[in-house]
Amino acid sequence: MNPFSLVMLAIAMSTDAFAAAVGKGSSLDKPHITEALRMGMIFGIVEATTPVIGWLVGQAASQFIENWDHWIAFTLLLILGLYMMYNGFKVPEEEAEKTKQHSLLLLMVTAIATSIDALAVGVSLAFIEINILVASLAIGLATMTMVTVGVLLGRAIGTLVGRWAEIVGGTVLVFVGAIVLYEHLA
């Protein structure tokens, strides 16, 4: 995978977490930088871990499906991208009462929920030549940064931008999947 595709993948993987962070930030009463950094770290660590787990699963299965690996990577990225776009177009739920800080349990569950796509992408990455540690660190760093910024922006911009970020992220995933397919068929 070329460096441009890796950067695009890292950004795409972090957009769903960014969307969640904007929503979480908008539900907080005047979030401080410490809460934003706390959320960024939690989401970043989870998002960096899940592609490695998926990659390990994909490595175990890769010898059995080597001839179709690029099609599998493309299909997974396509499905995930379309799912992210679908979520971005859904009507947001009503806002709850604002709190000062989210619980660790709530943040972990949200981080895991937004990183399921990174797990599937990790499986896809097992079928292409890539350094999974570099990829997972890039995804984790991008997620940490975007979540931190998302929380701080959440109060000001609300859920609308978060929804559009998820739509753009889904589009980027479809684009990266098309590049993977093109590179293997060319």
Side-chain angles (χ1 to χ4, degrees):
M1 178 176 282
N2 63 47
F4 175 75
S5 294
L6 179 59
V7 169
M8 295 304 291
L9 177 67
I11 292 170
M13 289 289 79
S14 60
T15 56
D16 54 348
F18 173 77
V22 170
K24 295 290 183 201
S26 67
S27 70
L28 289 174
D29 182 27
K30 301 177 185 175
H32 296 285
I33 186 72
T34 54
E35 178 63 7
L37 287 170
R38 175 178 168 258
M39 288 178 66
M41 290 293 292
I42 291 168
F43 276 72
I45 290 169
V46 170
E47 197 85 21
T49 303
T50 53
V52 174
I53 295 168
W55 182 81
L56 291 170
V57 170
Q59 285 291 308
S62 67
Q63 63 182 343
F64 302 109
I65 53 177
E66 190 173 319
N67 292 333
W68 304 320
D69 57 3
H70 52 282
W71 285 103
I72 293 169
F74 168 72
T75 302
L76 286 172
L77 291 170
L78 176 69
I79 290 169
L80 291 169
L82 292 174
Y83 181 72
M84 285 175 67
M85 288 187 278
Y86 167 76
N87 282 336
F89 283 115
K90 282 192 330 189
V91 177
E93 297 176 8
E94 288 293 318
E95 204 175 295
E97 185 177 320
K98 293 185 176 194
T99 62
K100 290 279 186 190
Q101 185 180 40
H102 293 297
S103 72
L104 179 61
L105 178 62
L106 175 65
L107 293 178
M108 288 297 294
V109 169
T110 306
I112 291 169
T114 61
S115 69
I116 296 300
D117 57 347
L119 180 75
V121 166
V123 172
S124 300
L125 294 177
F127 304 124
I128 60 176
E129 190 174 320
I130 190 167
N131 182 330
I132 190 60
L133 295 179
V134 170
S136 70
L137 287 174
I139 291 168
L141 181 61
T143 301
M144 184 183 77
T145 303
M146 290 182 71
V147 166
T148 301
V149 170
V151 170
L152 295 174
L153 292 176
R155 189 173 97 196
I157 60 178
T159 58
L160 179 62
V161 173
R163 290 178 54 218
W164 284 105
E166 191 156 13
I167 293 166
V168 170
T171 304
V172 169
L173 276 185
V174 171
F175 180 69
V176 169
I179 289 173
V180 168
L181 185 61
Y182 174 77
E183 286 176 350
H184 281 83
L185 294 178

